[in-house]
Short mmCIF file of all heavy atoms in Angstrom, two decimals:
data_model
loop_
_atom_site.label_atom_id
_atom_site.label_comp_id
_atom_site.label_asym_id
_atom_site.label_seq_id
_atom_site.Cartn_x
_atom_site.Cartn_y
_atom_site.Cartn_z
N THR A 7 -47.64 165.27 -180.58
CA THR A 7 -47.07 164.10 -181.23
C THR A 7 -47.96 162.90 -181.16
O THR A 7 -48.17 162.16 -182.09
CB THR A 7 -45.65 163.72 -180.69
OG1 THR A 7 -44.84 164.94 -180.74
CG2 THR A 7 -45.04 162.63 -181.39
N LEU A 8 -48.53 162.68 -179.97
CA LEU A 8 -49.51 161.57 -179.81
C LEU A 8 -50.71 161.70 -180.69
O LEU A 8 -51.17 160.69 -181.33
CB LEU A 8 -50.01 161.45 -178.32
CG LEU A 8 -49.02 160.83 -177.36
CD1 LEU A 8 -49.58 161.07 -175.91
CD2 LEU A 8 -48.86 159.32 -177.63
N ARG A 10 -50.92 163.04 -183.48
CA ARG A 10 -50.51 162.81 -184.83
C ARG A 10 -50.37 161.28 -185.15
O ARG A 10 -50.68 160.74 -186.13
CB ARG A 10 -49.19 163.46 -185.16
CG ARG A 10 -48.70 163.36 -186.60
CD ARG A 10 -47.49 164.18 -186.90
NE ARG A 10 -46.51 164.28 -185.84
CZ ARG A 10 -45.53 163.35 -185.63
NH1 ARG A 10 -45.51 162.28 -186.43
NH2 ARG A 10 -44.66 163.52 -184.74
N LEU A 11 -49.91 160.49 -184.12
CA LEU A 11 -49.57 159.10 -184.29
C LEU A 11 -50.72 158.11 -183.98
O LEU A 11 -50.71 157.01 -184.59
CB LEU A 11 -48.33 158.70 -183.41
CG LEU A 11 -47.03 159.41 -183.77
CD1 LEU A 11 -45.99 159.05 -182.71
CD2 LEU A 11 -46.53 158.95 -185.16
N VAL A 12 -51.61 158.38 -183.03
CA VAL A 12 -52.48 157.36 -182.49
C VAL A 12 -53.51 156.90 -183.52
O VAL A 12 -53.94 155.78 -183.45
CB VAL A 12 -53.24 157.76 -181.19
CG1 VAL A 12 -52.19 157.92 -180.09
CG2 VAL A 12 -54.00 159.02 -181.36
N ASP A 13 -53.92 157.70 -184.44
CA ASP A 13 -54.87 157.22 -185.41
C ASP A 13 -54.26 156.68 -186.74
O ASP A 13 -54.95 156.25 -187.56
CB ASP A 13 -55.86 158.37 -185.82
CG ASP A 13 -56.72 158.74 -184.60
OD1 ASP A 13 -57.11 157.93 -183.82
OD2 ASP A 13 -57.09 159.94 -184.46
N ASP A 14 -52.95 156.72 -186.78
CA ASP A 14 -52.26 156.32 -187.95
C ASP A 14 -51.92 154.76 -187.91
O ASP A 14 -51.07 154.45 -187.17
CB ASP A 14 -50.97 157.13 -188.12
CG ASP A 14 -50.17 156.77 -189.45
OD1 ASP A 14 -50.64 155.87 -190.13
OD2 ASP A 14 -49.17 157.43 -189.63
N PRO A 15 -52.58 153.94 -188.69
CA PRO A 15 -52.38 152.53 -188.64
C PRO A 15 -50.86 152.17 -189.03
O PRO A 15 -50.42 151.04 -188.67
CB PRO A 15 -53.30 151.96 -189.73
CG PRO A 15 -54.30 152.97 -189.96
CD PRO A 15 -53.67 154.30 -189.72
N SER A 16 -50.18 153.03 -189.60
CA SER A 16 -48.76 152.70 -189.99
C SER A 16 -47.81 153.15 -188.87
O SER A 16 -46.55 152.86 -188.95
CB SER A 16 -48.37 153.39 -191.31
OG SER A 16 -48.30 154.76 -191.12
N SER A 17 -48.24 153.74 -187.79
CA SER A 17 -47.36 154.12 -186.76
C SER A 17 -46.92 152.89 -185.90
O SER A 17 -47.72 151.93 -185.84
CB SER A 17 -47.98 155.20 -185.76
OG SER A 17 -49.15 154.66 -185.14
N ASP A 18 -45.73 152.99 -185.40
CA ASP A 18 -45.18 151.81 -184.69
C ASP A 18 -45.34 152.04 -183.14
O ASP A 18 -44.60 152.88 -182.58
CB ASP A 18 -43.70 151.70 -185.03
CG ASP A 18 -43.01 150.56 -184.33
OD1 ASP A 18 -43.57 149.90 -183.46
OD2 ASP A 18 -41.79 150.37 -184.71
N GLU A 19 -46.29 151.30 -182.55
CA GLU A 19 -46.66 151.65 -181.16
C GLU A 19 -45.44 151.29 -180.25
O GLU A 19 -45.25 151.92 -179.25
CB GLU A 19 -47.96 151.00 -180.70
CG GLU A 19 -47.89 149.48 -180.37
CD GLU A 19 -48.15 148.62 -181.59
OE1 GLU A 19 -48.39 149.08 -182.72
OE2 GLU A 19 -48.02 147.41 -181.34
N LEU A 20 -44.71 150.28 -180.57
CA LEU A 20 -43.60 149.86 -179.77
C LEU A 20 -42.48 150.95 -179.77
O LEU A 20 -41.96 151.16 -178.66
CB LEU A 20 -43.02 148.50 -180.20
CG LEU A 20 -41.87 147.94 -179.47
CD1 LEU A 20 -42.19 147.70 -178.03
CD2 LEU A 20 -41.35 146.73 -180.11
N HIS A 21 -42.12 151.45 -180.82
CA HIS A 21 -41.00 152.32 -180.98
C HIS A 21 -41.33 153.84 -180.98
O HIS A 21 -40.59 154.66 -180.63
CB HIS A 21 -40.09 152.00 -182.14
CG HIS A 21 -39.59 150.61 -182.11
ND1 HIS A 21 -40.13 149.53 -182.75
CD2 HIS A 21 -38.54 150.15 -181.42
CE1 HIS A 21 -39.39 148.51 -182.51
NE2 HIS A 21 -38.44 148.81 -181.68
N GLU A 22 -42.58 154.11 -181.40
CA GLU A 22 -42.95 155.63 -181.56
C GLU A 22 -43.93 156.02 -180.39
O GLU A 22 -43.76 157.02 -179.78
CB GLU A 22 -43.63 155.78 -182.84
CG GLU A 22 -42.70 155.71 -184.08
CD GLU A 22 -43.45 155.93 -185.37
OE1 GLU A 22 -44.55 155.31 -185.57
OE2 GLU A 22 -43.00 156.78 -186.13
N ILE A 23 -45.02 155.21 -180.23
CA ILE A 23 -46.04 155.72 -179.28
C ILE A 23 -45.78 155.35 -177.82
O ILE A 23 -45.89 156.18 -176.96
CB ILE A 23 -47.46 155.14 -179.73
CG1 ILE A 23 -47.72 155.63 -181.18
CG2 ILE A 23 -48.54 155.73 -178.81
CD1 ILE A 23 -49.00 155.05 -181.72
N GLN A 24 -45.38 154.10 -177.52
CA GLN A 24 -45.26 153.67 -176.15
C GLN A 24 -44.24 154.45 -175.43
O GLN A 24 -44.44 154.85 -174.30
CB GLN A 24 -44.75 152.12 -176.16
CG GLN A 24 -44.74 151.56 -174.76
CD GLN A 24 -46.10 151.37 -174.13
OE1 GLN A 24 -47.04 150.94 -174.76
NE2 GLN A 24 -46.21 151.55 -172.88
N PRO A 25 -43.06 154.85 -176.05
CA PRO A 25 -42.11 155.71 -175.29
C PRO A 25 -42.69 157.10 -174.93
O PRO A 25 -42.36 157.66 -173.87
CB PRO A 25 -40.95 155.91 -176.25
CG PRO A 25 -40.99 154.71 -177.19
CD PRO A 25 -42.43 154.41 -177.27
N LEU A 26 -43.60 157.52 -175.71
CA LEU A 26 -44.31 158.89 -175.35
C LEU A 26 -45.18 158.66 -174.10
O LEU A 26 -45.18 159.53 -173.23
CB LEU A 26 -45.14 159.31 -176.59
CG LEU A 26 -44.39 159.72 -177.83
CD1 LEU A 26 -45.29 159.98 -178.93
CD2 LEU A 26 -43.42 160.92 -177.49
N PHE A 27 -45.84 157.56 -174.03
CA PHE A 27 -46.66 157.31 -172.83
C PHE A 27 -45.82 157.16 -171.59
O PHE A 27 -46.14 157.55 -170.51
CB PHE A 27 -47.61 156.14 -173.00
CG PHE A 27 -48.91 156.52 -173.73
CD1 PHE A 27 -49.02 156.29 -175.11
CD2 PHE A 27 -49.89 157.23 -173.05
CE1 PHE A 27 -50.23 156.69 -175.75
CE2 PHE A 27 -51.12 157.64 -173.68
CZ PHE A 27 -51.24 157.36 -175.04
N GLU A 28 -44.73 156.44 -171.80
CA GLU A 28 -43.77 156.27 -170.64
C GLU A 28 -43.30 157.60 -170.13
O GLU A 28 -43.22 157.77 -168.91
CB GLU A 28 -42.54 155.47 -171.09
CG GLU A 28 -42.70 153.95 -170.84
CD GLU A 28 -41.48 153.19 -171.20
OE1 GLU A 28 -40.53 153.28 -170.35
OE2 GLU A 28 -41.45 152.59 -172.22
N ILE A 62 -44.69 138.50 -179.82
CA ILE A 62 -43.94 138.69 -181.04
C ILE A 62 -42.52 138.16 -180.80
O ILE A 62 -41.82 138.72 -179.90
CB ILE A 62 -43.90 140.18 -181.48
CG1 ILE A 62 -45.29 140.66 -181.80
CG2 ILE A 62 -43.00 140.28 -182.64
CD1 ILE A 62 -45.37 142.08 -182.15
N LEU A 65 -38.24 139.73 -180.73
CA LEU A 65 -38.32 141.22 -180.88
C LEU A 65 -37.05 141.67 -181.46
O LEU A 65 -35.91 141.06 -181.29
CB LEU A 65 -38.45 141.87 -179.48
CG LEU A 65 -39.81 141.93 -178.80
CD1 LEU A 65 -39.67 142.51 -177.49
CD2 LEU A 65 -40.76 142.71 -179.69
N LYS A 66 -37.08 142.77 -182.17
CA LYS A 66 -35.81 143.34 -182.68
C LYS A 66 -35.11 143.86 -181.45
O LYS A 66 -35.56 144.85 -180.85
CB LYS A 66 -36.08 144.46 -183.67
CG LYS A 66 -36.70 143.99 -184.96
CD LYS A 66 -37.00 145.23 -185.81
CE LYS A 66 -37.97 144.80 -186.95
NZ LYS A 66 -38.54 145.94 -187.64
N LYS A 70 -33.34 146.04 -175.72
CA LYS A 70 -33.56 147.55 -175.71
C LYS A 70 -34.82 147.97 -175.10
O LYS A 70 -34.94 149.08 -174.58
CB LYS A 70 -33.51 147.96 -177.26
CG LYS A 70 -33.27 149.41 -177.44
CD LYS A 70 -33.04 149.68 -178.91
CE LYS A 70 -32.48 151.11 -179.05
NZ LYS A 70 -32.20 151.43 -180.44
N ARG A 71 -35.82 147.08 -175.06
CA ARG A 71 -37.13 147.42 -174.44
C ARG A 71 -37.57 146.26 -173.49
O ARG A 71 -38.59 145.72 -173.67
CB ARG A 71 -38.19 147.66 -175.52
CG ARG A 71 -37.96 148.81 -176.40
CD ARG A 71 -37.75 150.15 -175.72
NE ARG A 71 -38.73 150.50 -174.69
CZ ARG A 71 -39.70 151.30 -174.81
NH1 ARG A 71 -39.90 151.86 -175.97
NH2 ARG A 71 -40.51 151.57 -173.86
N LEU A 74 -41.39 146.28 -171.65
CA LEU A 74 -42.57 146.18 -172.42
C LEU A 74 -42.81 144.71 -172.87
O LEU A 74 -41.88 143.96 -173.12
CB LEU A 74 -42.60 147.08 -173.64
CG LEU A 74 -42.46 148.53 -173.44
CD1 LEU A 74 -42.29 149.22 -174.75
CD2 LEU A 74 -43.71 149.05 -172.69
N VAL A 75 -44.15 144.39 -172.99
CA VAL A 75 -44.56 143.07 -173.64
C VAL A 75 -45.07 143.52 -175.05
O VAL A 75 -45.88 144.44 -175.10
CB VAL A 75 -45.65 142.36 -172.77
CG1 VAL A 75 -46.16 141.21 -173.63
CG2 VAL A 75 -45.12 141.91 -171.47
N ALA A 76 -44.55 142.89 -176.05
CA ALA A 76 -45.00 143.28 -177.41
C ALA A 76 -45.86 142.10 -177.91
O ALA A 76 -45.44 140.94 -177.99
CB ALA A 76 -43.79 143.44 -178.33
N LEU A 77 -47.10 142.49 -178.26
CA LEU A 77 -48.03 141.58 -178.91
C LEU A 77 -48.31 141.98 -180.32
O LEU A 77 -47.89 143.12 -180.76
CB LEU A 77 -49.38 141.58 -178.15
CG LEU A 77 -49.32 141.17 -176.68
CD1 LEU A 77 -50.56 141.52 -175.98
CD2 LEU A 77 -48.96 139.69 -176.54
N PRO A 78 -48.96 141.13 -181.18
CA PRO A 78 -49.12 141.56 -182.61
C PRO A 78 -49.85 142.85 -182.74
O PRO A 78 -49.54 143.58 -183.69
CB PRO A 78 -49.92 140.41 -183.20
CG PRO A 78 -49.54 139.19 -182.30
CD PRO A 78 -49.33 139.82 -180.96
N ASP A 79 -50.83 143.14 -181.92
CA ASP A 79 -51.59 144.39 -182.03
C ASP A 79 -51.44 145.46 -180.95
O ASP A 79 -52.17 146.38 -180.96
CB ASP A 79 -53.06 143.99 -182.21
CG ASP A 79 -53.69 143.38 -181.00
OD1 ASP A 79 -52.95 143.20 -180.00
OD2 ASP A 79 -54.88 143.16 -181.02
N SER A 80 -50.50 145.24 -180.02
CA SER A 80 -50.40 146.14 -178.97
C SER A 80 -49.05 145.89 -178.16
O SER A 80 -48.40 144.96 -178.41
CB SER A 80 -51.55 146.00 -177.94
OG SER A 80 -51.56 144.70 -177.29
N THR A 81 -48.84 146.87 -177.24
CA THR A 81 -47.73 146.77 -176.34
C THR A 81 -48.31 146.84 -174.93
O THR A 81 -49.28 147.65 -174.70
CB THR A 81 -46.61 147.72 -176.53
OG1 THR A 81 -47.16 149.04 -176.45
CG2 THR A 81 -45.91 147.55 -177.78
N LEU A 107 -51.35 149.60 -174.92
CA LEU A 107 -51.53 150.48 -176.05
C LEU A 107 -51.69 149.69 -177.35
O LEU A 107 -50.81 148.97 -177.73
CB LEU A 107 -50.25 151.33 -176.10
CG LEU A 107 -50.15 152.33 -177.23
CD1 LEU A 107 -51.29 153.35 -177.14
CD2 LEU A 107 -48.76 153.00 -177.25
N LYS A 108 -52.84 149.91 -177.94
CA LYS A 108 -53.15 149.25 -179.26
C LYS A 108 -52.48 150.02 -180.37
O LYS A 108 -52.22 151.17 -180.25
CB LYS A 108 -54.64 149.17 -179.46
CG LYS A 108 -55.44 148.40 -178.38
CD LYS A 108 -54.98 146.94 -178.45
CE LYS A 108 -55.79 146.12 -177.42
NZ LYS A 108 -55.34 144.70 -177.49
N ARG A 109 -52.21 149.32 -181.43
CA ARG A 109 -51.59 149.92 -182.60
C ARG A 109 -52.53 151.03 -183.13
O ARG A 109 -53.74 151.13 -182.88
CB ARG A 109 -51.32 148.98 -183.65
CG ARG A 109 -52.49 148.40 -184.36
CD ARG A 109 -52.17 147.37 -185.52
NE ARG A 109 -53.28 146.95 -186.17
CZ ARG A 109 -54.09 145.96 -185.83
NH1 ARG A 109 -53.85 145.27 -184.74
NH2 ARG A 109 -55.17 145.64 -186.49
N GLY A 110 -51.86 151.93 -183.94
CA GLY A 110 -52.61 153.05 -184.47
C GLY A 110 -53.88 152.66 -185.23
O GLY A 110 -53.75 151.68 -185.98
N GLY A 111 -54.96 153.36 -185.11
CA GLY A 111 -56.15 153.17 -185.81
C GLY A 111 -56.96 152.00 -185.22
O GLY A 111 -58.00 151.63 -185.75
#
Side-chain angles (χ1 to χ4, degrees):
T7 304
L8 280 172
R10 183 173 41 81
L11 294 173
V12 295
D13 291 328
D14 182 355
S16 67
S17 63
D18 179 354
E19 79 272 359
L20 179 62
H21 297 99
E22 293 178 308
I23 303 174
Q24 187 74 38
L26 295 173
F27 276 102
E28 268 184 77
I62 296 175
L65 280 178
K66 295 176 194 168
K70 198 170 191 177
R71 295 307 310 260
L74 296 173
V75 173
L77 299 168
D79 65 356
S80 65
T81 57
L107 177 63
K108 298 298 184 179
R109 71 178 182 274

